[in-house]
Amino acid sequence: MKALVIGGGGREHVLAWKIAQSPLVEKVYCAPGNPGIATVAECVDIPVGDLDGLVRFARDNDIALTVVGPEDPLSNGIVDRFAEEGLSAFGPSREAARLEACKSFAKEVMRAAAIPTAAYELFSDPDRAIAYVRKLGAPVVVKADGLAAGKGVTVAHTLADAERAIRECLLDRVFGDAGTQVLIEERLVGEEASILAFCDGRTVLPMVTSQDHKPVCDDDRGPNTGGMGAYSPAPVVSAALEREIRDTILQPCVDEMARRGAPYRGVLYAGLMITDEGPRVIEFNCRFGDPEAQVVLPRMTGDLVPVLRACCEGSLDDVQLAWDPRPCVTVVLASGGYPGPYEKAKAISGLADAEAEGATVFHAGTRRVGDAIVTSGGRVLSVTALGDDIPQAIDNAYRAVGKIRFEGAHFRTDIGRKALRRLT
């Protein structure tokens, strides 16, 4: 069969890399791809927003399975468009993808399904929102209601920070249409973790746990990013907690979406805070996390393709997952200035040297100029390594990171440190 991966970032690189290993797949395409993806798939110059072009390419090239990486085409209904043409696409429908595209909708679903989450209020008027946070007090969380590329969340430690975030969202419109409303949430206290689960509309099959690192600087300081690194497994989530998360969060969410006539198929990503009172949902995403995919999928020992097809066909209850017991760590190298305005077109060296250390380098924001690979995005590379234990996986990843150079490069130096604290 032929497969198509839609997207051009680190998540799509690891998806194409894993799908290309399947004996069921003779050819992998990626639209639009990147130079790293080009080593495992044929890249085609179709933007992720060109739904007509993507449907036409899949139809004309006899694509048996399309895997949608980013959230934007999912929220714009690409899976529905493929279905109208009789084509198979892995991911939720437009209505089901509202779990990520509209935070207030996700809160409604959680309330209806009695899923534990933070208390919140929704505002479109900045004066009312500011009056509310002054009454509530800091710390508090301010979230743009729509899709904001992982940057629409402010954990405000002071009232001034909260008011600034509200004004930026509702008055300055820094997130565009995603910021026409804001959620003001109580700040949950605990340690974050992520659980991704395969879903076929009825059955939920959780993957191994992981932990992302959103703030740009060490010790969780600085503004939020799309993710600066991750590790798997997350020791903060015990086996008992995994079962609780499946039974009180993941399955109830899928059941509620089915009750609403929008069965959830694809990957359901639960971003969680593990509090003293138990797990609480911070957010739902409707696709593989990035960089969580870079530490979860390398640990999958079986063929990914039959699992993806089972999600599309409603036969996930016949699937069993197998995992490498070795931990995995990924460290993101970012461009100078990120997550603000960032530099581009900086030549990258040392990629082969990093992989000679045993790491796998997944490309996110890169492009080819002649014989050179240069930076083109905020998050540039995810350097991923396995190890016999978490300390060794951390060492392996950072040893490979040390081989890579580009002007302005920065990365967190503490990916995995929370796991080490748990282990000691």
Side-chain angles (χ1 to χ4, degrees):
M1 61 178 283
K2 298 176 184 177
L4 169 65
V5 176
I6 294 175
R11 166 183 47 231
E12 290 76 38
H13 190 174
V14 72
L15 281 167
W17 171 82
K18 188 67 176 174
I19 290 168
Q21 297 170 17
S22 172
L24 301 174
V25 175
E26 60 180 289
K27 177 84 172 181
V28 182
Y29 296 94
C30 188
N34 64 42
I37 294 173
T39 64
V40 294
E42 180 179 329
C43 296
V44 292
D45 189 18
I46 306 174
V48 297
D50 183 1
L51 304 195
D52 290 337
L54 292 165
V55 168
R56 186 164 52 249
F57 179 86
R59 185 180 60 238
D60 293 347
N61 289 274
D62 298 320
I63 302 296
L65 175 66
T66 296
V67 181
V68 186
E71 59 271 27
D72 282 345
L74 290 168
S75 66
N76 289 330
I78 189 170
V79 171
D80 310 74
R81 294 284 299 280
F82 269 63
E84 291 168 3
E85 296 289 332
L87 298 167
S88 178
F90 174 85
S93 66
R94 182 202 296 265
E95 182 63 20
R98 290 182 69 204
L99 279 173
E100 178 172 5
C102 181
K103 293 181 179 64
S104 55
F105 172 78
K107 288 288 193 179
E108 290 174 14
V109 170
M110 286 185 262
R111 181 178 290 167
I115 293 170
T117 187
Y120 75 101
E121 293 290 342
L122 182 67
F123 297 92
S124 57
D125 181 272
D127 293 333
R128 291 183 60 199
I130 289 171
Y132 179 74
V133 298
R134 287 175 178 172
K135 177 182 176 181
L136 193 65
V140 70
V141 181
V142 180
K143 294 182 177 180
D145 190 33
L147 293 174
K151 300 174 189 174
V153 178
T154 298
V155 180
H157 297 282
T158 67
L159 288 178
D161 290 339
E163 293 178 21
R164 185 182 308 110
I166 291 167
R167 291 191 179 97
E168 286 178 349
C169 197
L170 296 179
L171 293 176
D172 300 339
R173 302 297 297 275
V174 296
F175 302 115
D177 291 342
T180 57
Q181 298 187 104
V182 294
L183 276 78
I184 310 296
E185 285 188 353
E186 67 170 326
R187 179 174 177 257
L188 297 171
V189 178
E191 186 172 337
E192 291 190 37
S194 305
I195 291 191
L196 288 68
F198 293 110
C199 308
D200 69 355
R202 297 176 296 108
T203 302
V204 172
L205 197 57
M207 299 177 228
V208 288
T209 61
S210 59
Q211 185 177 106
D212 186 13
H213 297 64
K214 287 288 188 188
V216 69
C217 299
D218 286 6
D219 301 318
D220 290 338
R221 294 177 293 107
N224 272 352
T225 69
M228 293 298 293
Y231 60 85
S232 175
V236 68
V237 181
S238 65
L241 264 181
E242 286 190 61
R243 291 190 294 270
E244 181 180 348
I245 291 163
R246 180 195 62 205
D247 295 343
T248 66
I249 294 173
L250 298 172
Q251 191 66 57
C253 181
V254 170
D255 291 345
E256 175 63 17
M257 293 302 293
R259 189 190 69 78
R260 290 169 177 251
Y264 193 95
R265 301 182 182 95
V267 169
L268 179 61
Y269 168 125
L272 306 170
M273 185 70 77
I274 309 303
T275 74
D276 290 342
E277 292 75 38
R280 300 288 185 269
V281 176
I282 300 172
E283 63 179 355
F284 283 128
N285 291 335
C286 63
R287 34 68 189 183
F288 281 97
D290 185 347
E292 290 94 340
Q294 287 92 306
V295 292
V296 169
L297 290 179
R299 294 188 62 209
M300 180 182 283
T301 57
D303 191 339
L304 175 61
V305 170
V307 185
L308 303 178
R309 296 181 71 175
C311 292
C312 298
E313 296 165 1
S315 57
L316 198 58
D317 53 350
D318 294 329
V319 171
Q320 290 187 333
L321 302 178
W323 302 98
D324 190 325
R326 292 177 297 168
C328 190
V329 170
T330 193
V331 179
V332 171
L333 278 74
S335 293
Y338 179 80
Y342 53 81
E343 303 169 349
K344 297 181 181 179
K346 304 300 182 182
I348 304 169
S349 64
L351 294 171
D353 294 334
E355 297 215 325
E357 293 289 343
T360 304
V361 181
F362 296 113
H363 290 227
T366 67
R367 65 185 180 94
R368 181 176 289 279
V369 178
D371 293 333
I373 305 295
V374 304
T375 66
S376 66
R379 292 186 297 168
V380 178
L381 303 165
S382 291
V383 181
T384 303
L386 293 158
D388 291 336
D389 53 26
I390 287 178
Q392 186 182 86
I394 293 170
D395 290 345
N396 291 346
Y398 276 107
R399 188 168 60 251
V401 165
K403 301 294 183 179
I404 298 172
R405 297 282 187 273
F406 59 88
E407 184 183 337
H410 66 95
F411 55 89
R412 284 183 58 158
T413 64
D414 65 343
I415 305 300
R417 188 178 297 168
K418 291 177 185 175
L420 296 180
R421 291 172 185 158
R422 289 274 170 186
L423 294 175
T424 57

